[in-house]
Amino acid sequence: MEIRVSTRDVQQFDGDALAVGIFSDKGPLHGPAAALDEALAGVIAELRASGEVTGAADEVTLLHTLGKIEPSRVAIIGLGPRDRCTLERIRRASAIACRRLRKVKARRVGLALASAERSINLAQAARAMTEGALLGLYEFGQYKSAKSGAAASDDESADSGCSIQEITILGRGREPALRTAVERGKVLAEATNFARDLGNEPPNVLTPTEFGERARRMAEEAGLECEVYGPDWMREQGMGALLGVAQGSAEEPRFIVLRYRGRARGEPGLALVGKGITFDTGGISLKPGAEMDAMKMDMCGGAAVVGAMMAIAQLKPNTNVTGIVPTTENMPGGKAYRPGDILRAANGKTIEILNTDAEGRLALADALSWAVKQRLSPLVDAATLTGAMVVALGHVRAGIFSNNEALERAILTASDTAGERLWPMPMDDEYGDLIRSEIADMKQVGGRPAGSISAAKVISNFVGETPWAHLDIAGVNSRHNKDAELDKGATGFGVRTFVELATLLAASGRNGKGNTNGNAS
Ligand code: BES
Ligand code: ZN
Ligand code: ZN
């Protein structure tokens, strides 16, 4: 997909479809909508006057231009009230516009969704349009045989010959700034879509071995260092928790390490750690059959890490970043670990197993122990860790848990910039009581109350004093239905927050030191 930038007037756009944003406020039209209305002999104003077009958020109206301008179609996209227009709105409007224009087989699309608003930075708006377009047009189609003739007509995605080939961001302002912003949006969206591909792959294809291969291939192309370790190495490292989970599966586990060096010297830097369970049956504590297929996405934390590393390699922040993905299946084979087992993690701590379905925290225990031994700091993990997180926050926000206020604030800032929503969760000492064990250093699960927090407490045992934050993305890693904005399936949640965090740490020169060292400042 080619993405261009143009600062010319909308009337001069010469592609075959144009999308323009309008607000729901009363009064005269503004910006590109006003210019287009003039070129179209007042039809937009008339539609508004008649109430057929209101500008309400997500409203889409398609017009034929009947030769008045070069594009044969115009999509008018509602942006809602002017004073509540956020970058998120623009991103979503862009996705909706592109998906709608794909349906009518547009090939060269122009997007003019933001005008000069007090609250909106035009370069950021250009970036949001780029992200919205690429995320909205994403589809996971490689397993669907090409259809032909009538069968394809109700399926906008089946005939890829009709999909959008070129997008022009029509913006105001300084062209170099717009170009930089659009380029960043493109890198972030493509990395997110790469993570979505990994999440959407069926579990018979994306085994731990294949996950390692895909990471290795990406690293080669992007210019990252990559090591992929197997079970012998894990035994040398004493990774009894990860190996415990892996032993019920016929597939070998892998430990993926990706390194980006943005600083020749300096601290080891940020570690991004992602849960990489390529299929979670629950193991001996088997999950019910209904919707178990969704557990192919139990590696989305790991996918977010690999996707983020891909973007970081291209954007080159001035900091060091290591991506770490412990990956295995959780299966109930004859050698599977059992409730009652006691496992020893790589930092020497023992864990009393009570439910083999709580496997993610075990994989993270060893990965975080290893990251601490490498002196990486700060540590940030993402994991589809608990059903309790879905109960608490639904599918809108992911929970963030941390032992360090400054790091938590930095991640919340990063997620704001990224357009991925987080919500801070508590980590009071008393929650630690839930996982006290009589016979091991800790219990693996803390029962029904505060299930996401007790899971975070388990993980906190493996980070020591290192600044650490954990994102439980169980509710946001996938969408269950397609809507006007996005297809169903993996969302790639976390990629953009991770990249913005690396950028932020580079800009503030923290690199794991300074005010993420435990003192809230
Ligand atoms: N992968 C699941 C969590 C999950 C649930 C992710 C729903 C996405 C959607 C995790 O491994 C799990 O099964 N957790 C258990 C823990 C319990 C046994 C303490 C859970 O949440 O039920
Ligand atoms: Zn599980
Ligand atoms: Zn799981």
Side-chain angles (χ1 to χ4, degrees), residues 58-285:
D58 297 356
E59 180 188 73
V60 184
T61 311
L62 264 190
L63 303 179
H64 284 235
T65 61
L66 308 176
K68 290 198 176 67
I69 53 175
E70 180 67 26
S72 61
R73 281 191 177 83
V74 165
I76 307 169
I77 311 293
L79 293 171
R82 182 188 203 102
D83 61 358
R84 287 176 51 198
C85 184
T86 57
L87 290 170
E88 184 56 37
R89 242 306 90 266
I90 291 172
R91 192 179 293 114
R92 185 171 163 86
S94 174
I96 291 173
C98 290
R99 286 166 72 82
R100 190 71 186 81
L101 290 171
R102 176 173 63 187
K103 272 195 182 163
V104 296
K105 306 205 184 329
R107 285 164 185 272
R108 295 175 58 226
V109 168
L111 299 175
L113 296 168
S115 54
E117 293 302 318
R118 278 148 302 167
S119 55
I120 298 282
N121 169 301
L122 286 169
Q124 283 175 10
R127 172 181 149 186
M129 280 187 249
T130 309
E131 289 173 0
L134 293 175
L135 296 172
L137 290 172
Y138 169 87
E139 44 194 357
F140 184 69
Q142 52 264 53
Y143 293 95
K144 222 160 141 76
S145 309
K147 290 187 200 165
S148 60
S153 63
D154 63 341
D155 184 346
E156 81 267 22
S157 63
D159 183 358
S160 61
C162 289
S163 58
I164 295 174
Q165 287 161 5
E166 184 188 294
I167 288 173
T168 304
I169 307 293
L170 296 157
R172 290 271 167 216
R174 290 197 320 112
E175 205 167 308
L178 290 179
R179 265 183 218 295
T180 308
V182 165
E183 188 48 39
R184 188 174 177 90
K186 185 166 186 245
V187 168
L188 287 164
E190 284 175 351
T192 305
N193 287 343
F194 178 61
R196 291 168 85 183
D197 270 344
L198 293 170
N200 288 330
E201 279 289 3
N204 59 329
V205 172
L206 199 90
T207 58
T209 304
E210 177 64 14
F211 200 175
E213 283 309 310
R214 301 241 179 148
R216 199 197 296 278
R217 235 179 293 149
M218 180 282 287
E220 261 165 37
E221 278 165 30
L224 294 168
E225 292 170 37
C226 176
E227 294 128 41
V228 181
Y229 300 105
D232 291 339
W233 179 87
M234 290 170 203
R235 270 185 283 277
E236 284 164 26
Q237 303 294 321
M239 295 185 168
L242 174 60
L243 283 164
V245 177
Q247 74 195 33
S249 168
E251 292 287 338
E252 281 194 357
R254 291 287 182 263
F255 194 92
I256 305 169
V257 181
L258 295 162
R259 283 182 223 269
Y260 164 76
R261 293 185 207 271
R263 282 193 159 196
R265 289 177 296 122
E267 305 81 22
L270 171 66
L272 301 173
V273 181
K275 170 177 172 181
I277 304 297
T278 61
F279 195 74
D280 181 11
T281 65
I284 295 300
S285 314

